[in-house]
Amino acid sequence: MSGAKLAQFGKQHIAKGIGRSTELVIERGQGSYLWTVDGKKYLDLTTGIGVTSTGHNHPKVVKAVQDQAANISHAQVNLFYHKPMLDLIERLKPKMPSPELDTFFFANSGAEAVENAVKLARHATKRPNIIVFQGSYHGRTLGTMALTTSKTIYSAGFGPLIPGVHVAPFPYHQQWAAHKADPTKFDAEWCVQESLNQLEILLKQRSHPEDTAAILLEPVQGEGGYVAPPATFLQGLRKICDKHGILLIADEVQSGFGRTGKMFAIEHTGVTPDIMVMAKGIASGYPISGIVSRKELMDRQPPGSMGGTYSGNAVACAAAKATLEIFEEENIIENVNARSEQFFNAFRAKIPALLPEGITADIRGLGLMIGIEFLNAPAGSASKVASEAFKLDTLVLTTSIYETLRLIPALNISKEETDIAIEKVLASIEAAFKA
């Protein structure tokens, strides 16, 4: 059956509520490339939204999965310990931002892990409220869509949402009215201080510190636009949390596992969270997520209060362990930083000349979490760029409510593949703004 006919079958029988950026029917992947059932090859700069961190079907991950599936595929966490999970924890512990983060709980998806982080924070503090930030994305389950503020589509029509969630400003300075009016006077650091001031006001007006369990944020906003705030913002949050006995939760679902050039994005700031959420790139495409915290916090929860049928699945744990081994054997972090420099140098040198007068580009991000926002551009500009890239057999995504393109290549993308990606993206931008 052709790809077109298969896509039509899918459209007829898969839930309409799933948004989809293409009509492609994918048959296989290898490294930075995907092939459709019709045999067409695409350069993949989406990696399943940051999931296939070591590329598609890395042979070491494939072998680990095959070996584990032949041994035991499901050793349910509420019944047993299993060796793949224990081996994974042994590998993970040295990678944590701090030795204090030494106790783990594994789940399946990022949203599930976020919900478990909130459960832990509420139970450990005996406080109900959670503070999130404008532009955040933490999931679209019934619980997490109350925490997500990047787009209303994720929660529209599903209310009432869970109570006790309060939203504070995020220092996305490019979209602050004050910064637009006077970028020199109201710079990024001014926006940081104003965001922290507004947070202190929120704690006085809407959520008393003694009612506030946690402040939850992405160290680099994902669906909000690939916005990395200055380190001073995270440092200021840490001080506020310490002052009031509030827990700081870092949602590293999209920014973790080497994506930003460090194992976790929060390491760029020197801040240690109380709870950290992990998912996506942890297992090179296999469904596993987790939270990590201090043992004294985790031990406050009674047995039976955490769990799940597939939590910490043995095959997914084996894939995650293999992924971490690849990080060490292939110097993945070093490659991320080298390829990041390659991307950013080329984009900052060449993109401005491709844009019409009056339109500029904010080329931002960390590591291989790359955002390109087209400022003062007509609505739909970023989608046009993505469409032009598709014509060049290259897959890219947009993000946020603004005109922003995001690139999420495999962390082991080669220098030569990066050159090709740069060429394709530049050609797509040029074509989109000429049209």
Side-chain angles (χ1 to χ4, degrees):
M1 190 181 294
S2 70
K5 288 183 178 179
L6 286 168
Q8 186 57 40
F9 179 84
K11 190 178 293 185
Q12 186 68 27
H13 297 288
I14 295 175
K16 186 180 178 181
I18 298 174
R20 192 171 288 105
S21 60
T22 78
E23 295 292 306
L24 297 179
V25 180
I26 297 301
E27 185 170 52
R28 66 185 181 94
Q30 190 65 53
S32 292
Y33 290 92
L34 291 167
W35 284 263
T36 70
V37 292
D38 298 319
K40 194 163 178 57
K41 179 182 177 183
Y42 288 86
L43 176 61
D44 180 19
L45 302 180
T46 71
T47 56
I49 316 184
V51 173
T52 53
S53 52
T54 58
H56 296 285
N57 287 345
H58 191 290
K60 187 179 185 77
V61 176
V62 171
K63 186 175 190 310
V65 167
Q66 290 172 333
D67 290 349
Q68 186 57 46
N71 192 17
I72 187 167
S73 60
H74 181 61
Q76 210 280 328
V77 70
N78 295 104
L79 299 177
F80 318 106
Y81 295 105
H82 62 76
K83 195 165 185 299
M85 182 185 291
L86 300 175
D87 289 344
L88 174 59
I89 291 171
E90 187 177 28
R91 283 275 180 179
L92 276 175
K93 277 183 61 184
K95 305 294 186 185
M96 294 298 104
S98 166
E100 295 176 6
L101 301 174
D102 62 357
T103 305
F104 298 80
F105 169 79
F106 296 104
N108 305 289
S109 70
E112 190 180 352
V114 168
E115 289 192 355
N116 279 288
V118 171
K119 280 177 64 177
L120 174 60
R122 284 180 164 177
H123 196 277
T125 62
K126 307 303 181 189
R127 300 173 180 180
N129 293 347
I130 306 294
I131 294 173
V132 296
F133 293 91
Q134 188 171 344
S136 63
Y137 181 88
H138 301 292
R140 62 187 105 185
T141 59
L142 190 61
T144 56
M145 64 179 151
L147 307 167
T148 291
T149 64
S150 56
K151 292 179 183 176
T152 54
I153 187 63
Y154 299 131
S155 58
F158 296 109
L161 306 182
I162 63 168
V165 177
H166 299 272
V167 182
F170 187 82
Y172 181 1
H173 68 277
Q174 291 287 9
Q175 293 298 337
W176 277 47
H179 177 80
K180 290 180 180 180
D182 189 339
T184 303
K185 181 178 180 181
F186 303 110
D187 61 6
E189 284 297 338
W190 180 90
C191 292
V192 164
Q193 294 308 312
E194 184 60 19
S195 296
L196 295 172
N197 291 341
Q198 290 298 317
L199 175 59
E200 291 278 25
I201 290 171
L202 187 155
L203 290 168
K204 293 176 181 177
Q205 290 185 329
R206 304 207 310 272
S207 182
H208 192 283
E210 292 182 6
D211 290 328
T212 305
I215 293 174
L216 166 65
L217 90 158
E218 302 159 278
V220 181
Q221 284 198 338
E223 303 300 315
Y226 276 34
V227 184
T232 48
F233 182 59
L234 276 292
Q235 292 159 3
L237 293 181
R238 181 72 271 176
K239 290 178 182 177
I240 290 171
C241 286
D242 291 343
K243 175 183 174 183
H244 296 294
I246 297 168
L247 300 180
L248 181 63
I249 305 175
D251 179 345
E252 292 265 11
V253 168
Q254 191 160 170
S255 60
F257 283 86
R259 175 57 55 188
T260 67
K262 291 186 179 290
M263 201 63 190
F264 296 97
I266 202 163
E267 294 179 69
H268 291 278
T269 71
V271 169
T272 299
D274 298 292
I275 306 169
M276 190 169 70
V277 183
M278 305 170 283
K280 287 193 182 288
I282 183 173
S284 297
Y286 287 84
I288 186 171
S289 64
I291 64 172
V292 61
S293 186
R294 301 188 299 275
K295 182 172 173 56
E296 61 95 3
L297 280 182
M298 288 282 210
D299 282 356
R300 297 181 195 182
Q301 295 187 300
S305 62
M306 302 282 270
T309 300
Y310 299 105
S311 295
N313 172 265
V315 175
C317 284
K321 177 175 176 284
T323 298
L324 289 172
E325 290 171 354
I326 292 164
F327 267 63
E328 294 174 3
E329 293 166 6
E330 299 184 12
N331 299 315
I332 293 294
I333 298 293
E334 289 83 351
N335 188 68
V336 169
N337 287 309
R339 302 289 75 77
S340 175
E341 185 177 3
Q342 190 178 349
F343 270 113
F344 279 107
N345 285 348
F347 288 158
R348 286 174 175 154
K350 297 178 180 179
I351 287 177
L354 303 177
L355 301 176
E357 186 177 352
I359 298 176
T360 58
D362 181 26
I363 302 161
R364 60 177 181 247
L366 294 169
L368 292 177
M369 192 171 182
I370 302 167
I372 304 170
E373 181 176 357
F374 303 105
L375 300 168
N376 305 313
S381 293
S383 293
K384 283 184 181 178
V385 175
S387 295
E388 293 294 337
F390 186 72
K391 294 176 187 176
L392 297 174
D393 303 333
T394 302
L395 304 177
V396 299
L397 292 170
T398 61
T399 186
S400 87
I401 63 170
Y402 303 108
E403 297 305 318
T404 307
L405 200 70
R406 58 173 156 170
L407 306 182
I408 331 169
L411 303 185
N412 57 351
I413 188 172
S414 69
K415 181 178 185 296
E416 293 73 24
E417 289 166 339
T418 301
D419 282 335
I420 294 169
I422 290 167
E423 178 186 341
K424 300 283 190 181
V425 171
L426 292 174
S428 302
I429 293 170
E430 183 175 23
F433 284 98
K434 274 186 177 178

